[in-house]
Amino acid sequence: MTSNSLLKAGGRRTGSRSGNTATLEVVIPVYNEEADLEQCIRRLHAHLDDNIPLQSQITIADNASTDGTLAVAQRLAAEIDGVRVHHLEEKGRGRALKAVWLASDADVVAYMDVDLSTDLNALMPLIAPLMSGHSDLAIGSRLARSSRVVRGAKREFISRSYNLILRASLQARFSDAQCGFKAMRTDVARELLPLVQDTGWFFDTELLVIAEKAGLRIHEVPVDWVDDPDSSVNIVDTAVKDLQGCWRVGRALATGELPVAELRRSLGREPLVAGVPHGMVGQLVRFGIVGIASTIAYALLYLILQPTVGAQAANFLGLLITAVLNTAANRAFTFGVRGSQDAGKHQMQGLIVFGFALLITSGSLVVLHAVLPDASHHIELAVLVVANLVATVCRFVALRWVFRNKEELPL
């Protein structure tokens, strides 16, 4: 048998409301699941018939099983209308999902684990916002406040820790990356999936991170979820591979290897208001926080240095020191640029911005001393603060230009 062969095409099964032309394909990825597969498919098929008013299809994605899983899947496909089998000769849940979803002609593609740990009553809430066009992806969340979850303390701790790591390292905003209950509009899948490299358990996380960075809307559904005590997943091995995946994706985002900005444009996630680029509001808030801290530091340095070196030298030194710190802080905090790559180049560009600020502030001191030769230190400082505010506006525009190649990062 050849890889990726469709063993049974299986016509689309018409849902209970045959007038609805929207279509859904639910994928069940399996590897050596001969014991649980039949119960899963029959239960899912009955639920789709009774509760989902869409034309739907079930695809069993067999990942090179070595037991009787494939034979069971073939028999179910022969017996049940709307069930088909997609066989792969290589393992990997992500590989199976990617292959089936890219080949699908349904409007929405979904998947769930064969153990059906997630209550199927969450399926319609999962796919409804995708069918309406409101959302691009939808995920079941076991960590939402209203979710009801039964599982051991070890799995609970690992799951929550992993999602905290995602938030800290990749600034992920979704709550549950690994719940085996997800759906996506097929047109979106065709844009995202070619960028997803992982073929195993990290597939879900990588897909969601790329989608979020591209500005796609991810709908979360609280679920009722009961842990399968017979799960064959190696938790430690999976956790290690997930951490490696986080490092790889984070590096790809930082270096621009993942073309998220281009993806955002191709998916139509451009600014809603002309002249307000993606992420500018968040950048302004963070830039303001850095600016306030820099202004306080500058004022303190000026007051300390002025009596010793004079107004112009104190202004120069204060601006220089805070400019270096300001560029570093804005680089990491405001514009989300991590790592040492181009750090020296960014500092040099920041010093050019510093030179412009120095020109404005020094010029304001010259004008002040020409008008008020005996101006006090506090009047000098007040004039410099105003001049710095003008320079700050220019600095924000300039720094957006400096970090323009990193706009695909979380903003």
Side-chain angles (χ1 to χ4, degrees):
M1 183 173 296
T2 60
S3 175
N4 298 336
S5 61
L6 287 178
L7 301 181
K8 183 176 187 296
R12 290 199 179 280
R13 181 180 53 79
T14 303
S16 57
R17 300 180 189 177
S18 58
N20 196 318
T21 59
T23 53
L24 167 69
E25 181 168 3
V26 181
V27 182
I28 307 294
V30 290
Y31 173 74
N32 290 350
E33 298 286 358
E34 61 178 346
D36 297 328
L37 182 57
E38 181 164 1
Q39 179 184 6
C40 164
I41 298 303
R42 292 192 182 279
R43 181 180 161 194
L44 174 59
H45 181 267
H47 181 84
L48 292 172
D49 266 342
D50 296 339
N51 300 282
I52 306 299
L54 305 169
Q55 293 182 352
S56 54
Q57 177 175 275
I58 300 171
T59 298
I60 303 168
D62 176 54
N63 299 265
S65 294
T66 58
D67 63 357
T69 297
L70 183 57
V72 173
Q74 289 176 302
R75 176 172 57 80
L76 291 169
E79 294 177 2
I80 305 173
D81 184 31
V83 175
R84 69 172 184 170
V85 181
H86 192 105
H87 176 69
L88 293 93
E89 295 180 351
E90 294 180 271
K91 285 180 61 177
R93 181 182 69 169
R95 178 180 285 109
L97 291 175
K98 188 173 183 177
V100 177
W101 282 354
L102 282 175
S104 179
D105 60 353
D107 297 308
V108 169
V109 289
Y111 95 89
M112 58 188 68
D113 291 334
V114 68
D115 57 20
L116 296 184
S117 294
T118 304
D119 189 336
L120 289 175
N121 287 324
L123 181 57
M124 194 62 206
L126 186 80
I127 64 176
L130 306 180
M131 291 295 186
S132 70
H134 175 270
S135 299
D136 304 295
L137 295 87
I139 64 173
S141 176
R142 299 161 297 183
L143 303 181
R145 290 183 180 275
S146 56
S147 297
R148 296 187 298 176
V149 176
V150 178
R151 63 175 165 182
K154 179 181 178 181
R155 279 182 175 266
E156 181 76 8
F157 174 78
I158 291 175
S159 179
R160 291 188 178 275
S161 298
Y162 178 61
N163 282 281
L164 285 174
I165 290 171
L166 287 180
R167 289 177 178 272
S169 62
L170 299 174
Q171 289 80 50
R173 299 183 185 89
F174 47 84
S175 66
D176 191 351
Q178 294 288 39
C179 181
F181 195 72
K182 293 181 175 67
M184 181 169 37
R185 292 205 336 258
T186 309
D187 59 329
V188 172
R190 294 191 185 104
E191 296 282 349
L192 292 181
L193 292 177
L195 299 178
V196 180
Q197 295 183 22
D198 192 82
T199 59
W201 292 96
F202 187 70
F203 171 87
D204 300 56
T205 302
E206 186 170 359
L207 176 67
L208 290 173
V209 168
I210 294 174
E212 193 172 72
K213 296 300 184 271
L216 297 179
R217 185 168 290 162
I218 301 174
H219 177 69
E220 297 199 18
V221 178
V223 297
D224 296 340
W225 192 87
V226 179
D227 188 21
D228 176 14
D230 299 322
S231 174
S232 59
V233 177
N234 186 321
I235 297 177
V236 175
D237 181 63
T238 300
V240 170
K241 290 180 179 177
D242 284 345
L243 292 176
Q244 292 173 340
C246 287
W247 169 257
R248 175 177 57 78
V249 172
R251 183 179 59 189
L253 288 169
T255 60
E257 181 182 342
L258 273 172
V260 182
E262 290 82 352
L263 179 62
R264 186 185 300 127
R265 285 190 289 271
S266 70
L267 289 168
R269 288 305 186 270
E270 292 300 322
L272 287 174
V273 180
V276 182
H278 175 77
M280 177 175 277
V281 174
Q283 288 177 350
L284 280 170
V285 172
R286 293 188 291 274
F287 182 81
I289 294 172
V290 173
I292 291 171
S294 297
T295 300
I296 293 173
Y298 167 81
L300 290 174
L301 285 169
Y302 181 84
L303 290 175
I304 292 171
L305 295 171
Q306 200 276 347
T308 305
V309 300
Q312 290 287 6
N315 176 54
F316 174 82
L317 293 173
L319 274 180
L320 179 61
I321 294 171
T322 55
V324 173
L325 298 176
N326 184 284
T327 300
N330 278 309
R331 182 178 189 269
F333 181 56
T334 303
F335 298 98
V337 181
R338 304 288 189 268
S340 59
Q341 184 177 4
D342 293 331
K345 174 184 175 182
H346 293 155
Q347 280 293 349
M348 290 300 296
Q349 292 169 324
L351 288 176
I352 295 174
V353 178
F354 150 76
F356 181 74
L358 179 64
L359 180 63
I360 293 177
T361 53
S362 297
S364 66
L365 279 178
V366 170
V367 173
L368 173 65
H369 291 150
V371 176
L372 295 174
D374 299 325
S376 67
H377 302 336
H378 295 92
I379 293 177
E380 290 176 346
L381 183 59
V383 169
L384 288 171
V385 167
V386 172
N388 264 311
L389 290 176
V390 176
T392 296
V393 175
C394 300
R395 182 182 297 117
F396 178 74
V397 174
L399 288 180
R400 273 191 65 87
W401 178 82
V402 168
F403 301 112
R404 64 195 182 282
N405 292 326
K406 298 299 180 180
E407 288 184 352
E408 65 270 16
L409 297 179
L411 300 173

